[in-house]
PDB file of all heavy atoms in Angstrom:
ATOM      1  N   GLN A 137    -166.089 194.851 -46.572  1.00  0.00           N
ATOM      2  CA  GLN A 137    -164.668 194.764 -46.026  1.00  0.00           C
ATOM      3  C   GLN A 137    -164.423 193.633 -45.099  1.00  0.00           C
ATOM      4  O   GLN A 137    -165.245 193.071 -44.481  1.00  0.00           O
ATOM      5  CB  GLN A 137    -164.191 196.114 -45.244  1.00  0.00           C
ATOM      6  CG  GLN A 137    -164.273 197.325 -46.154  1.00  0.00           C
ATOM      7  CD  GLN A 137    -165.594 197.897 -46.287  1.00  0.00           C
ATOM      8  OE1 GLN A 137    -166.622 197.424 -45.797  1.00  0.00           O
ATOM      9  NE2 GLN A 137    -165.824 198.884 -47.035  1.00  0.00           N
ATOM     10  N   GLY A 138    -163.226 193.148 -44.942  1.00  0.00           N
ATOM     11  CA  GLY A 138    -162.791 192.125 -43.921  1.00  0.00           C
ATOM     12  C   GLY A 138    -163.022 192.733 -42.578  1.00  0.00           C
ATOM     13  O   GLY A 138    -163.806 192.258 -41.748  1.00  0.00           O
ATOM     14  N   ILE A 139    -162.197 193.859 -42.256  1.00  0.00           N
ATOM     15  CA  ILE A 139    -162.347 194.536 -41.015  1.00  0.00           C
ATOM     16  C   ILE A 139    -162.545 196.030 -41.455  1.00  0.00           C
ATOM     17  O   ILE A 139    -161.721 196.572 -42.236  1.00  0.00           O
ATOM     18  CB  ILE A 139    -161.118 194.436 -40.312  1.00  0.00           C
ATOM     19  CG1 ILE A 139    -160.777 193.017 -39.756  1.00  0.00           C
ATOM     20  CG2 ILE A 139    -161.096 195.381 -39.032  1.00  0.00           C
ATOM     21  CD1 ILE A 139    -159.450 192.805 -39.198  1.00  0.00           C
ATOM     22  N   LEU A 140    -163.667 196.586 -40.847  1.00  0.00           N
ATOM     23  CA  LEU A 140    -164.000 198.029 -41.250  1.00  0.00           C
ATOM     24  C   LEU A 140    -163.997 198.876 -39.892  1.00  0.00           C
ATOM     25  O   LEU A 140    -164.992 198.499 -39.046  1.00  0.00           O
ATOM     26  CB  LEU A 140    -165.302 198.045 -41.886  1.00  0.00           C
ATOM     27  CG  LEU A 140    -165.986 199.532 -42.055  1.00  0.00           C
ATOM     28  CD1 LEU A 140    -165.014 200.233 -43.073  1.00  0.00           C
ATOM     29  CD2 LEU A 140    -167.332 199.355 -42.813  1.00  0.00           C
ATOM     30  N   VAL A 141    -163.271 199.836 -39.808  1.00  0.00           N
ATOM     31  CA  VAL A 141    -163.257 200.541 -38.632  1.00  0.00           C
ATOM     32  C   VAL A 141    -163.631 201.978 -39.049  1.00  0.00           C
ATOM     33  O   VAL A 141    -162.873 202.664 -39.735  1.00  0.00           O
ATOM     34  CB  VAL A 141    -161.888 200.690 -37.910  1.00  0.00           C
ATOM     35  CG1 VAL A 141    -161.828 201.556 -36.714  1.00  0.00           C
ATOM     36  CG2 VAL A 141    -161.168 199.265 -37.514  1.00  0.00           C
ATOM     37  N   VAL A 142    -164.776 202.406 -38.727  1.00  0.00           N
ATOM     38  CA  VAL A 142    -165.419 203.788 -39.314  1.00  0.00           C
ATOM     39  C   VAL A 142    -165.067 204.809 -38.395  1.00  0.00           C
ATOM     40  O   VAL A 142    -164.571 204.762 -37.342  1.00  0.00           O
ATOM     41  CB  VAL A 142    -166.942 203.585 -39.465  1.00  0.00           C
ATOM     42  CG1 VAL A 142    -167.393 202.491 -40.418  1.00  0.00           C
ATOM     43  CG2 VAL A 142    -167.640 203.476 -38.162  1.00  0.00           C
ATOM     44  N   ASP A 143    -165.176 206.066 -38.967  1.00  0.00           N
ATOM     45  CA  ASP A 143    -164.880 207.227 -38.215  1.00  0.00           C
ATOM     46  C   ASP A 143    -165.296 207.215 -36.745  1.00  0.00           C
ATOM     47  O   ASP A 143    -166.477 206.914 -36.381  1.00  0.00           O
ATOM     48  CB  ASP A 143    -165.502 208.493 -38.895  1.00  0.00           C
ATOM     49  CG  ASP A 143    -165.013 209.825 -38.403  1.00  0.00           C
ATOM     50  OD1 ASP A 143    -163.972 209.807 -37.758  1.00  0.00           O
ATOM     51  OD2 ASP A 143    -165.822 210.894 -38.671  1.00  0.00           O
ATOM     52  N   SER A 144    -164.400 207.576 -35.932  1.00  0.00           N
ATOM     53  CA  SER A 144    -164.417 207.590 -34.355  1.00  0.00           C
ATOM     54  C   SER A 144    -164.095 206.210 -33.766  1.00  0.00           C
ATOM     55  O   SER A 144    -163.884 206.299 -32.485  1.00  0.00           O
ATOM     56  CB  SER A 144    -165.722 208.097 -33.930  1.00  0.00           C
ATOM     57  OG  SER A 144    -166.823 207.006 -33.964  1.00  0.00           O
ATOM     58  N   GLY A 145    -163.994 205.153 -34.493  1.00  0.00           N
ATOM     59  CA  GLY A 145    -163.507 203.880 -33.814  1.00  0.00           C
ATOM     60  C   GLY A 145    -161.988 203.693 -34.115  1.00  0.00           C
ATOM     61  O   GLY A 145    -161.402 204.377 -34.845  1.00  0.00           O
ATOM     62  N   SER A 146    -161.456 202.705 -33.312  1.00  0.00           N
ATOM     63  CA  SER A 146    -160.141 202.388 -33.475  1.00  0.00           C
ATOM     64  C   SER A 146    -159.857 200.958 -33.053  1.00  0.00           C
ATOM     65  O   SER A 146    -160.791 200.335 -32.405  1.00  0.00           O
ATOM     66  CB  SER A 146    -159.128 203.164 -32.610  1.00  0.00           C
ATOM     67  OG  SER A 146    -159.392 202.975 -31.125  1.00  0.00           O
ATOM     68  N   ALA A 147    -158.914 200.222 -33.542  1.00  0.00           N
ATOM     69  CA  ALA A 147    -158.629 198.808 -33.269  1.00  0.00           C
ATOM     70  C   ALA A 147    -157.115 198.567 -33.207  1.00  0.00           C
ATOM     71  O   ALA A 147    -156.400 199.169 -33.864  1.00  0.00           O
ATOM     72  CB  ALA A 147    -159.359 198.030 -34.358  1.00  0.00           C
ATOM     73  N   TYR A 148    -156.921 197.525 -32.420  1.00  0.00           N
ATOM     74  CA  TYR A 148    -155.643 196.952 -32.383  1.00  0.00           C
ATOM     75  C   TYR A 148    -155.735 195.528 -33.209  1.00  0.00           C
ATOM     76  O   TYR A 148    -156.462 194.693 -32.718  1.00  0.00           O
ATOM     77  CB  TYR A 148    -154.991 196.724 -31.039  1.00  0.00           C
ATOM     78  CG  TYR A 148    -153.793 195.974 -30.849  1.00  0.00           C
ATOM     79  CD1 TYR A 148    -152.593 196.770 -30.875  1.00  0.00           C
ATOM     80  CD2 TYR A 148    -153.689 194.538 -30.819  1.00  0.00           C
ATOM     81  CE1 TYR A 148    -151.457 196.177 -30.814  1.00  0.00           C
ATOM     82  CE2 TYR A 148    -152.348 193.932 -30.735  1.00  0.00           C
ATOM     83  CZ  TYR A 148    -151.217 194.688 -30.801  1.00  0.00           C
ATOM     84  OH  TYR A 148    -149.961 194.158 -30.615  1.00  0.00           O
TER      85      TYR A 148
END
Side-chain angles (χ1 to χ4, degrees):
Q137 297 82 1
I139 299 171
L140 174 62
V141 184
V142 302
D143 187 15
S144 78
S146 66
Y148 180 88

